[in-house]
Amino acid sequence: MLDRQFAWVGVMSMMGLLSLNAGCVRAVSNTPFPAPPVVLNASPDIHQLAAAVNRTDAIQQLSTNSAKVDVLSMPAVPKLNATVNVQREKRFRLKASVPIIMGAGIDLGSNENEFWFEVPDNMTQTLYYANHEQYARQLNRAILPVDPTWLIEAIGLARLDPATVLSGPVIRSDGLIEVRTSMQTPSGMYQRVVFIEPSAGYITNLFLYSPDGRQVAKSVASDHRFNATANVVLPHRVKIELFPAAGPPLAMQLEVASYTVNQLLSGDPELFTMPTTTTTKVDLVQMAGMGSPGGFGSHAAGAMGYSSATTGPIVPAAEAPWTRPPGLPGTAAAYSANAPTGPPLRGIRYE
């Protein structure tokens, strides 16, 4: 079970960084940060909201050497230092280092056909992988509760398509603008709820519901900084939570000190190619529907070389501070797939 939970962490780290896709600009300094310009009026319609949110379409490449991953649901695990290279649409590579006393690092990646993550498993390396299309076809039976490509949006760079809007925009009691959209997948129609900052027009929160109305994932983005040259707003801290059908929720937080936009920080021609040297490989598509697969790599040391003595227990959701996000009314359990998550101030408009 512990191995399976660390595999989740790998996928969350990997796919969350995918969504950092960015024009032809570099943004490497932390300060100063110009305030985002006001781009929305007091009552924007869905097309004005989409134009504001979709400014991030200008981002085609994004790199960072200053990322950190914090596994919130496993507080005994130290933060991981990570480097990331991303290229639209699905190309990315993340390498994260672990303190040497813990044993190793992780290698996460994706290209147009497949995604993977390679982790130390006892004294060997294990590669977990899946074909994007095949995985999406059986998402309702998959071990992971979301298609990993959904996490591309979780960082805060999701697109807003007016053609998919089910309801909204709604101006919530906390001032954020809420829009509910549909996501058609081979496994059925998912509902996606986004919260949008009302003046600068960037996404702050993202919720995903399965076809049966169950919340399967959410993200909370913060520390947004405006890149004046690229004319985009990027979050530098993102908390991601996944809710598997069985087992406790899992959470991680990604923090990035700076980004390089539309330039890769690697000259490796094989940057987005899945590794081929690993002897132990696990196809996640073949694991779909297995309620208790024995973990991703059922060895005593656990995935990533951790043992239960070093990771500590999984924090129950009822006790975890990360399940009670500051500044938002209610908790995850209060959100619904059938109604707005907050009372409207100006009502629901359909476009």
Side-chain angles (χ1 to χ4, degrees):
M1 182 64 179
L2 182 63
D3 301 341
R4 173 177 174 177
Q5 289 156 344
F6 269 109
W8 276 76
V9 170
V11 172
M12 288 191 293
S13 305
M14 168 185 66
M15 301 310 300
L17 288 160
L18 253 179
S19 61
L20 303 175
N21 23 67
C24 271
V25 195
R26 180 176 295 186
V28 293
S29 71
N30 289 336
T31 57
F33 305 121
V38 175
V39 297
L40 297 174
N41 57 38
S43 300
D45 62 31
I46 191 61
H47 300 287
Q48 292 168 329
L49 284 171
V53 169
N54 296 342
R55 287 176 297 170
T56 53
D57 287 351
I59 301 176
Q60 294 299 313
Q61 295 176 326
L62 187 138
S63 293
T64 180
N65 290 328
S66 61
K68 290 185 180 295
V69 176
D70 190 2
V71 186
L72 301 177
S73 51
M74 297 180 182
V77 177
K79 286 186 178 181
L80 311 179
N81 298 323
T83 62
V84 184
N85 286 280
V86 179
Q87 180 173 306
R88 280 190 166 183
E89 290 290 334
K90 295 180 178 180
R91 294 187 169 200
F92 80 97
R93 193 70 174 269
L94 175 150
K95 291 189 176 182
S97 61
V98 184
I100 190 169
I101 191 173
M102 299 290 286
I106 55 178
D107 183 353
L108 315 172
S110 174
N111 54 41
E112 292 84 350
N113 300 316
E114 57 208 353
F115 69 90
W116 69 88
F117 56 100
E118 185 180 48
V119 295
D121 194 350
N122 203 357
M123 297 301 292
T124 63
Q125 293 286 118
T126 300
L127 180 74
Y128 303 96
Y129 68 96
N131 175 275
H132 289 297
E133 184 177 353
Q134 292 176 355
Y135 198 82
R137 287 200 198 109
Q138 53 186 34
L139 190 57
N140 58 336
R141 299 186 298 111
I143 292 173
L144 302 180
V146 295
D147 183 325
T149 56
W150 173 83
L151 294 175
I152 296 174
E153 303 180 347
I155 295 298
L157 301 181
R159 300 194 79 258
L160 182 58
D161 182 0
T164 65
V165 172
L166 298 174
S167 67
V170 171
I171 299 184
R172 296 167 40 86
S173 58
D174 57 10
L176 297 175
I177 298 174
E178 177 180 329
V179 177
R180 185 177 298 271
T181 66
S182 63
M183 286 180 55
Q184 189 61 49
T185 76
S187 299
M189 192 190 79
Y190 282 68
Q191 287 194 41
R192 185 187 69 166
V193 176
V194 296
F195 294 173
I196 302 170
E197 196 279 334
S199 61
Y202 53 81
I203 291 176
T204 62
N205 301 70
L206 186 61
F207 306 86
L208 187 69
Y209 299 93
S210 64
D212 61 2
R214 182 173 58 89
Q215 186 182 73
V216 295
K218 75 173 184 177
S219 68
V220 179
S222 59
D223 192 12
H224 290 83
R225 305 175 192 174
F226 178 60
N227 182 310
T229 310
N231 192 33
V232 296
V233 179
L234 296 173
H236 286 60
R237 181 179 298 110
V238 179
K239 181 175 70 174
I240 298 171
E241 298 176 47
L242 299 181
F243 303 95
L250 301 168
M252 60 156 282
Q253 183 165 276
L254 172 71
E255 299 181 39
V256 176
S258 62
Y259 299 114
T260 296
V261 178
N262 286 329
Q263 179 178 337
L264 299 178
L265 297 177
S266 172
D268 182 3
E270 303 297 320
L271 182 61
F272 303 114
T273 301
M274 186 170 71
T276 58
T277 57
T278 307
T279 56
T280 304
K281 299 181 181 180
V282 179
D283 187 347
L284 297 179
V285 172
Q286 301 301 319
M287 299 181 71
M290 298 173 62
S292 180
F296 287 96
S298 53
H299 298 285
M304 296 175 61
Y306 295 122
S307 67
S308 58
T310 57
T311 61
I314 304 297
V315 178
E319 303 174 11
W322 47 264
T323 62
R324 299 182 292 275
L328 287 176
T331 63
Y335 302 135
S336 168
N338 302 313
T341 58
L345 295 183
R346 295 183 176 91
I348 300 178
R349 294 197 299 276
Y350 296 88
E351 302 294 331

